[in-house]
mmCIF file of all heavy atoms in Angstrom:
data_model
loop_
_atom_site.group_PDB
_atom_site.id
_atom_site.type_symbol
_atom_site.label_atom_id
_atom_site.label_comp_id
_atom_site.label_asym_id
_atom_site.label_seq_id
_atom_site.Cartn_x
_atom_site.Cartn_y
_atom_site.Cartn_z
ATOM 1 N N GLY Q 1577 -32.152 -127.171 -90.817
ATOM 2 C CA GLY Q 1577 -33.576 -126.744 -90.869
ATOM 3 C C GLY Q 1577 -34.328 -127.065 -92.117
ATOM 4 O O GLY Q 1577 -33.859 -127.910 -92.978
ATOM 5 N N TYR Q 1578 -35.443 -126.419 -92.262
ATOM 6 C CA TYR Q 1578 -36.333 -126.676 -93.439
ATOM 7 C C TYR Q 1578 -36.937 -125.318 -93.857
ATOM 8 O O TYR Q 1578 -37.141 -124.405 -93.067
ATOM 9 C CB TYR Q 1578 -37.527 -127.639 -93.025
ATOM 10 C CG TYR Q 1578 -36.987 -128.934 -92.510
ATOM 11 C CD1 TYR Q 1578 -36.706 -129.151 -91.140
ATOM 12 C CD2 TYR Q 1578 -36.719 -130.036 -93.398
ATOM 13 C CE1 TYR Q 1578 -36.271 -130.375 -90.679
ATOM 14 C CE2 TYR Q 1578 -36.210 -131.226 -92.910
ATOM 15 C CZ TYR Q 1578 -35.982 -131.382 -91.551
ATOM 16 O OH TYR Q 1578 -35.494 -132.590 -91.108
ATOM 17 N N ARG Q 1579 -37.316 -125.296 -95.157
ATOM 18 C CA ARG Q 1579 -38.032 -124.156 -95.690
ATOM 19 C C ARG Q 1579 -39.462 -124.622 -96.083
ATOM 20 O O ARG Q 1579 -39.588 -125.580 -96.801
ATOM 21 C CB ARG Q 1579 -37.275 -123.581 -96.897
ATOM 22 C CG ARG Q 1579 -38.038 -122.420 -97.583
ATOM 23 C CD ARG Q 1579 -37.432 -121.957 -98.899
ATOM 24 N NE ARG Q 1579 -36.164 -121.307 -98.621
ATOM 25 C CZ ARG Q 1579 -35.006 -121.776 -99.053
ATOM 26 N NH1 ARG Q 1579 -34.936 -122.969 -99.688
ATOM 27 N NH2 ARG Q 1579 -33.870 -121.142 -98.817
ATOM 28 N N LEU Q 1580 -40.463 -123.899 -95.519
ATOM 29 C CA LEU Q 1580 -41.815 -124.108 -95.917
ATOM 30 C C LEU Q 1580 -42.189 -123.041 -96.952
ATOM 31 O O LEU Q 1580 -41.891 -121.848 -96.664
ATOM 32 C CB LEU Q 1580 -42.766 -124.037 -94.745
ATOM 33 C CG LEU Q 1580 -42.766 -125.227 -93.753
ATOM 34 C CD1 LEU Q 1580 -41.497 -125.331 -92.969
ATOM 35 C CD2 LEU Q 1580 -43.981 -125.172 -92.821
ATOM 36 N N SER Q 1581 -42.904 -123.402 -97.998
ATOM 37 C CA SER Q 1581 -43.287 -122.380 -98.980
ATOM 38 C C SER Q 1581 -44.682 -122.619 -99.413
ATOM 39 O O SER Q 1581 -45.201 -123.715 -99.477
ATOM 40 C CB SER Q 1581 -42.270 -122.373 -100.165
ATOM 41 O OG SER Q 1581 -42.207 -123.667 -100.761
ATOM 42 N N ALA Q 1582 -45.323 -121.468 -99.805
ATOM 43 C CA ALA Q 1582 -46.628 -121.413 -100.424
ATOM 44 C C ALA Q 1582 -46.708 -120.181 -101.246
ATOM 45 O O ALA Q 1582 -45.716 -119.434 -101.329
ATOM 46 C CB ALA Q 1582 -47.732 -121.501 -99.313
ATOM 47 N N ASP Q 1583 -47.858 -119.865 -101.816
ATOM 48 C CA ASP Q 1583 -48.026 -118.636 -102.509
ATOM 49 C C ASP Q 1583 -47.742 -117.413 -101.615
ATOM 50 O O ASP Q 1583 -48.417 -117.280 -100.582
ATOM 51 C CB ASP Q 1583 -49.423 -118.483 -103.121
ATOM 52 C CG ASP Q 1583 -49.684 -119.524 -104.204
ATOM 53 O OD1 ASP Q 1583 -48.659 -119.973 -104.861
ATOM 54 O OD2 ASP Q 1583 -50.823 -119.837 -104.548
ATOM 55 N N ASN Q 1584 -46.788 -116.627 -101.939
ATOM 56 C CA ASN Q 1584 -46.422 -115.423 -101.155
ATOM 57 C C ASN Q 1584 -46.113 -115.734 -99.674
ATOM 58 O O ASN Q 1584 -46.434 -114.947 -98.791
ATOM 59 C CB ASN Q 1584 -47.641 -114.421 -101.254
ATOM 60 C CG ASN Q 1584 -47.835 -113.985 -102.668
ATOM 61 O OD1 ASN Q 1584 -46.977 -113.664 -103.455
ATOM 62 N ND2 ASN Q 1584 -49.163 -113.963 -103.023
ATOM 63 N N PHE Q 1585 -45.584 -116.933 -99.430
ATOM 64 C CA PHE Q 1585 -45.241 -117.349 -98.076
ATOM 65 C C PHE Q 1585 -43.980 -118.138 -98.075
ATOM 66 O O PHE Q 1585 -43.790 -119.041 -98.889
ATOM 67 C CB PHE Q 1585 -46.418 -118.111 -97.442
ATOM 68 C CG PHE Q 1585 -46.102 -118.638 -96.084
ATOM 69 C CD1 PHE Q 1585 -46.278 -117.834 -94.958
ATOM 70 C CD2 PHE Q 1585 -45.644 -119.946 -95.906
ATOM 71 C CE1 PHE Q 1585 -45.969 -118.362 -93.700
ATOM 72 C CE2 PHE Q 1585 -45.346 -120.487 -94.621
ATOM 73 C CZ PHE Q 1585 -45.492 -119.649 -93.547
ATOM 74 N N GLU Q 1586 -43.156 -117.852 -97.058
ATOM 75 C CA GLU Q 1586 -41.972 -118.668 -96.828
ATOM 76 C C GLU Q 1586 -41.587 -118.593 -95.375
ATOM 77 O O GLU Q 1586 -41.714 -117.559 -94.739
ATOM 78 C CB GLU Q 1586 -40.777 -118.139 -97.687
ATOM 79 C CG GLU Q 1586 -39.504 -118.930 -97.509
ATOM 80 C CD GLU Q 1586 -38.352 -118.497 -98.441
ATOM 81 O OE1 GLU Q 1586 -38.490 -118.722 -99.654
ATOM 82 O OE2 GLU Q 1586 -37.442 -117.904 -97.928
ATOM 83 N N LEU Q 1587 -41.175 -119.747 -94.826
ATOM 84 C CA LEU Q 1587 -40.810 -119.803 -93.426
ATOM 85 C C LEU Q 1587 -39.659 -120.765 -93.253
ATOM 86 O O LEU Q 1587 -39.687 -121.907 -93.800
ATOM 87 C CB LEU Q 1587 -42.003 -120.249 -92.548
ATOM 88 C CG LEU Q 1587 -41.758 -120.411 -91.095
ATOM 89 C CD1 LEU Q 1587 -41.467 -119.061 -90.435
ATOM 90 C CD2 LEU Q 1587 -42.956 -121.141 -90.368
ATOM 91 N N ILE Q 1588 -38.629 -120.386 -92.480
ATOM 92 C CA ILE Q 1588 -37.453 -121.292 -92.147
ATOM 93 C C ILE Q 1588 -37.708 -121.756 -90.709
ATOM 94 O O ILE Q 1588 -37.956 -120.940 -89.777
ATOM 95 C CB ILE Q 1588 -36.193 -120.473 -92.234
ATOM 96 C CG1 ILE Q 1588 -36.014 -119.843 -93.661
ATOM 97 C CG2 ILE Q 1588 -35.021 -121.464 -91.983
ATOM 98 C CD1 ILE Q 1588 -36.071 -120.845 -94.781
ATOM 99 N N THR Q 1589 -37.609 -123.025 -90.475
ATOM 100 C CA THR Q 1589 -37.799 -123.607 -89.170
ATOM 101 C C THR Q 1589 -36.929 -124.856 -89.005
ATOM 102 O O THR Q 1589 -36.305 -125.292 -89.961
ATOM 103 C CB THR Q 1589 -39.300 -123.959 -88.989
ATOM 104 O OG1 THR Q 1589 -39.525 -124.386 -87.657
ATOM 105 C CG2 THR Q 1589 -39.701 -125.123 -89.953
ATOM 106 N N ASP Q 1590 -36.896 -125.293 -87.708
ATOM 107 C CA ASP Q 1590 -36.004 -126.510 -87.492
ATOM 108 C C ASP Q 1590 -36.785 -127.785 -87.444
ATOM 109 O O ASP Q 1590 -36.225 -128.847 -87.532
ATOM 110 C CB ASP Q 1590 -35.324 -126.301 -86.091
ATOM 111 C CG ASP Q 1590 -34.439 -125.139 -86.105
ATOM 112 O OD1 ASP Q 1590 -33.634 -124.930 -87.015
ATOM 113 O OD2 ASP Q 1590 -34.498 -124.300 -85.136
ATOM 114 N N MET Q 1591 -38.134 -127.713 -87.314
ATOM 115 C CA MET Q 1591 -38.964 -128.912 -87.278
ATOM 116 C C MET Q 1591 -40.314 -128.527 -87.797
ATOM 117 O O MET Q 1591 -40.867 -127.504 -87.501
ATOM 118 C CB MET Q 1591 -39.070 -129.404 -85.809
ATOM 119 C CG MET Q 1591 -39.944 -130.656 -85.646
ATOM 120 S SD MET Q 1591 -40.022 -131.136 -83.907
ATOM 121 C CE MET Q 1591 -40.826 -132.748 -84.014
#
Side-chain angles (χ1 to χ4, degrees):
Y1578 302 91
R1579 177 186 290 112
L1580 285 71
S1581 56
D1583 291 340
N1584 301 314
F1585 175 83
E1586 183 176 287
L1587 177 68
I1588 307 300
T1589 187
D1590 298 312
M1591 181 180 188

